[in-house]
Amino acid sequence: MDFDLTEEQKRFQEAARALAARELAPRAAEIDHDARLPEAHARQLGDAGLLGLTIPAAHGGSGGDLVSLALVIEEIAAACASSAAIVGTHVALVARTLVRAGSDDQKQKYLAPLARGASLGAAAMPDPVEPPSLFAEPSAAGGFVLDGETGPVILGPAADVFLVFAATNRAPNDPRLVALLVPKSAPGLTIVPAETSVGRRAAGAALLRARDVRVDAADVIGVAGEGASIAAAALEDARIAVGAEAIGIARAAFEKAAAHVKRTQDRVKTPGLLGMQAQLADMAVDIEAARLLVLRAAHLADRGAPSSAERSIGKLFASEMSTRVAHRAMDILGARGGGASEGLGRHFRDARTTELVEESSGTQRSIIAQTMLKG
């Protein structure tokens, strides 16, 4: 197995690292406090080519693979988890779904603006437990009419276009989902801001309420009734993105804890110093292990190899690791660790959120177990 990055992957990683240090890190605490994205934030990420990752150059994208996407998201998340959530949601859930399952006309219409950051995408994914509450009735024109309400949609307040999954059958056990593209300006669509999340606060969330929202046949992705498979493929990509985000958050917490130990080690008695060093060692091992798991999943996916379990393994381990590392970092800094100036409270909240989004740790364990048992 070759662990070396390609020159292209290194370029994406370095570009993300430079942008994160120059533009994102200085404002991360502010936008977390305000729970609001700065104006033109998406355009800034798009200008750097980060919103066009994995979108072919023929459609205005930056190219690259899932390994590149994971490397970029880690760098961004180490500076600002809300910004990482933008890239992960926009690329993994929306843009890659269009690349994979969209028609030629849909790719032509949507991908170039998404890649530039001129348009921001969000996705109303089906709930893994609750029955659908958004329904699509066939229209005489060949499209669908939407009625109902989605659950919380990450990036909902800022998005320009939504990928939504609606039930074409009202039987709860057989919803026969359809995937649709709905612009925020669609008549009858109301975007209702949802309660601010514990972490990734600036990314925001909103409910989508639809009342006789008409969707043209041209904006139906794939075949009606096969939306569940389209959603499943999008979520598998998103697990790589969230796993990488968790690693970046953990890395930021680790670096602050390590800097604190370096500053204070001459004044700390030996038993306490050894205890902090042991915690730092455990944190470093956790981060490195998570990175290898997530990059392996991305590498397998790029090769087209079966990787469903590997993606869930990476997401599960990385997200729980991130919470664990942020907690240990707060322990090392003591009372200062919970203060706003250090940012560890923000990292802890952001890390915990990665355990919950794109399906919880419990769902990941179920996917892993089912895959293992099939063998």
Side-chain angles (χ1 to χ4, degrees), residues 22-291:
R22 184 179 68 250
E23 303 289 347
L24 305 181
R27 300 194 64 183
E30 175 191 348
I31 69 170
D32 175 76
H33 177 270
D34 295 344
R36 183 174 57 85
L37 292 174
E39 290 185 16
H41 196 63
R43 174 74 75 168
Q44 188 178 47
L45 293 168
D47 288 344
L50 304 184
L51 295 182
L53 275 166
T54 76
I55 298 175
H59 294 295
S62 307
D65 53 16
L66 278 170
V67 169
S68 300
L69 180 63
L71 294 168
V72 162
I73 289 177
E74 178 186 336
E75 295 298 331
I76 296 173
C80 175
S82 292
S83 298
I86 294 173
V87 177
T89 299
H90 176 95
V91 174
L93 290 179
V94 182
R96 284 184 59 82
T97 295
L98 277 165
V99 170
R100 183 172 47 246
S103 67
D104 289 342
D105 287 344
Q106 289 167 349
K107 293 173 184 177
Q108 186 70 26
K109 178 180 178 181
Y110 289 104
L111 283 178
L114 288 171
R116 295 195 309 270
S119 178
L120 190 62
M125 304 303 294
D127 192 288
V129 177
E130 297 294 329
S133 55
L134 181 67
F135 300 96
E137 296 288 343
S139 69
F144 288 90
V145 180
L146 291 176
D147 279 288
E149 182 174 290
T150 71
V153 177
I154 297 170
L155 299 189
D160 300 291
V161 62
F162 297 97
L163 169 63
V164 304
F165 294 87
T168 61
N169 182 17
R170 291 183 179 264
N173 296 326
D174 185 23
R176 301 177 199 170
L177 299 177
V178 61
L180 306 166
L181 292 164
V182 182
K184 70 176 182 181
S185 59
L189 181 68
T190 304
I191 301 169
V192 183
E195 185 178 0
T196 302
S197 173
V198 170
R200 308 154 103 208
R201 287 164 48 85
L207 307 177
L208 306 183
R209 288 179 183 162
R211 297 292 181 268
D212 294 325
V213 174
R214 297 189 174 273
V215 181
D216 292 337
D219 285 327
V220 178
I221 297 180
V223 178
E226 296 183 359
S229 62
I230 295 173
L235 284 169
E236 288 199 343
D237 283 349
R239 288 174 191 130
I240 291 173
V242 174
E245 180 185 340
I247 295 163
I249 296 165
R251 197 181 90 195
F254 170 80
E255 289 171 354
K256 289 175 181 177
H260 173 77
V261 173
K262 288 179 182 178
R263 286 194 307 268
T264 61
Q265 59 186 346
D266 292 339
R267 304 191 301 273
V268 177
K269 294 181 180 180
T270 300
L273 179 60
L274 291 175
M276 289 190 292
Q277 290 175 339
Q279 287 205 74
L280 286 175
D282 288 343
M283 293 157 71
V285 170
D286 264 352
I287 293 168
E288 187 64 20
R291 183 179 292 116

